[in-house]
Amino acid sequence: MKTIRCFFVSVALIFAFMSTLNAKVINPSDSHIKAILGSQCNLLGFHNNAGSAILLSNSANAGPANESVADNTSINNYSNSLNSAPHQSSGSDDNGLKGKNIITAGVGFVSLTGLLAGAWTTAGYSGSSVLPISIQYERGLSSNFTFGLSFVYSSVSMSYSGTMDNTNSYYPYNSGQLYNYTDKLSLSGMEIAVTGDYYFVTSGVFQPYLGFRVGYEPISFGWSTNDPNSKYGDGNIAQAWSWGSGVPCWGLYFGTKIWFSNNFGAWVDGGWHGIFGAIFNLGLAAKF
């Protein structure tokens, strides 16, 4: 009898256990379940009160349902931070040049003063010349266009020293004698102009632009000599002569900024920059 009774009790327990498995009813307070689920029950919002049960879905069809919410949040935050990080190269700006200030300074080559210095040197004069020095300020009015003010200065000053054989009756001073004399020539001028530059590219290292300028150029020209026999065409003795005036100026040029960083770089351009400007120019640039 005991054997039969134990048999039926065993069958009943097995049947009850199989029914529990088929229904997937799990007591979360069980120590084995806690070990398996760990902290996932708390993350999913379930409470491990005594007597409560959790009805789980079919694990074979659920896929990776045990992903950590905290891990997902960290991954999403990291992804968002990568997407929102600024991706800028040297000299780049999301808003272009609008509201930016650019200051450039440099020197020029192939200019009127330089050509005169070469011609006067060939004629026997000696002296020095100042290459065109330029300073320009630009203000970004839009993402691609800047408006500014430019200042350019250049000069040449040379002299010629010689000895005059005063044996010709044309020279009444100390006829028949030799004497030394010195002639001096000088030309200087500056340019003050407003500028407008259009930048085709406002990001990256190279930012090419097309520019124009309109302004005014004061000019000063002088000549002097200590030769007492120097004459004007009317026969009067001439010791010095000077002329000063000014003329309107304009310019059209093409160039590029070369940014080594977001705030510091160089520039080079070529074109017509007025009488006292140069054909080719280069220098340093700063942006802030």
Side-chain angles (χ1 to χ4, degrees), residues 18-263:
M18 294 299 295
S19 300
T20 302
L21 290 179
N22 290 334
K24 294 183 176 60
V25 177
I26 299 176
N27 187 354
S29 63
D30 186 82
S31 60
H32 296 288
I33 301 304
K34 286 183 177 180
I36 295 173
L37 295 180
S39 62
Q40 300 300 316
C41 294
N42 292 330
L43 292 175
L44 294 173
F46 297 115
H47 302 283
N48 296 330
N49 298 326
S52 63
I54 302 173
L55 183 62
L56 300 178
S57 62
N58 193 328
S59 60
N61 298 325
N66 292 329
E67 236 180 337
S68 171
V69 176
D71 291 343
N72 288 340
T73 303
S74 300
I75 293 173
N76 290 335
N77 290 339
Y78 179 72
S79 177
N80 292 334
S81 65
L82 289 179
N83 293 331
S84 61
H87 302 282
Q88 294 183 354
S89 58
S90 296
S92 66
D93 196 318
D94 292 340
N95 295 324
L97 298 175
K98 187 175 182 179
K100 299 295 183 180
N101 302 291
I102 301 176
I103 296 179
T104 60
V107 296
F109 303 91
V110 187
S111 62
L112 173 62
T113 52
L115 293 175
L116 285 178
W120 292 349
T121 299
T122 303
Y125 283 76
S126 62
S128 62
S129 63
V130 176
L131 295 175
I133 301 173
S134 63
I135 299 175
Q136 182 171 327
Y137 167 77
E138 300 175 54
R139 173 73 176 181
L141 298 184
S142 67
S143 59
N144 296 85
F145 183 76
T146 65
F147 181 81
L149 183 65
S150 174
F151 174 82
V152 180
Y153 174 82
S154 65
S155 67
V156 55
S157 179
M158 308 192 80
S159 63
Y160 176 83
S161 297
T163 301
M164 179 63 69
D165 182 0
N166 198 14
T167 58
N168 193 319
S169 59
Y170 179 77
Y171 301 103
Y173 177 76
N174 293 335
S175 179
Q177 297 182 10
L178 297 177
Y179 65 92
N180 297 323
Y181 70 95
T182 300
D183 292 340
K184 295 181 179 180
L185 285 170
S186 65
L187 174 67
S188 63
M190 66 180 67
E191 174 189 296
I192 303 173
V194 294
T195 64
D197 295 342
Y198 179 82
Y199 288 79
F200 301 96
V201 178
T202 59
S203 63
V205 176
F206 294 94
Q207 299 181 10
Y209 60 88
L210 179 67
F212 71 91
R213 63 182 61 209
V214 178
Y216 185 76
E217 289 179 323
I219 302 172
S220 177
F221 177 78
W223 169 83
S224 65
T225 182
N226 61 359
D227 183 358
N229 287 309
S230 179
K231 295 182 178 181
Y232 284 118
D234 58 4
N236 294 321
I237 300 298
Q239 294 295 320
W241 181 81
S242 63
W243 175 80
S245 184
V247 295
C249 67
W250 63 275
L252 184 64
Y253 47 89
F254 176 80
T256 183
K257 297 291 194 302
I258 307 169
W259 296 108
F260 308 132
S261 68
N262 285 336
N263 303 104

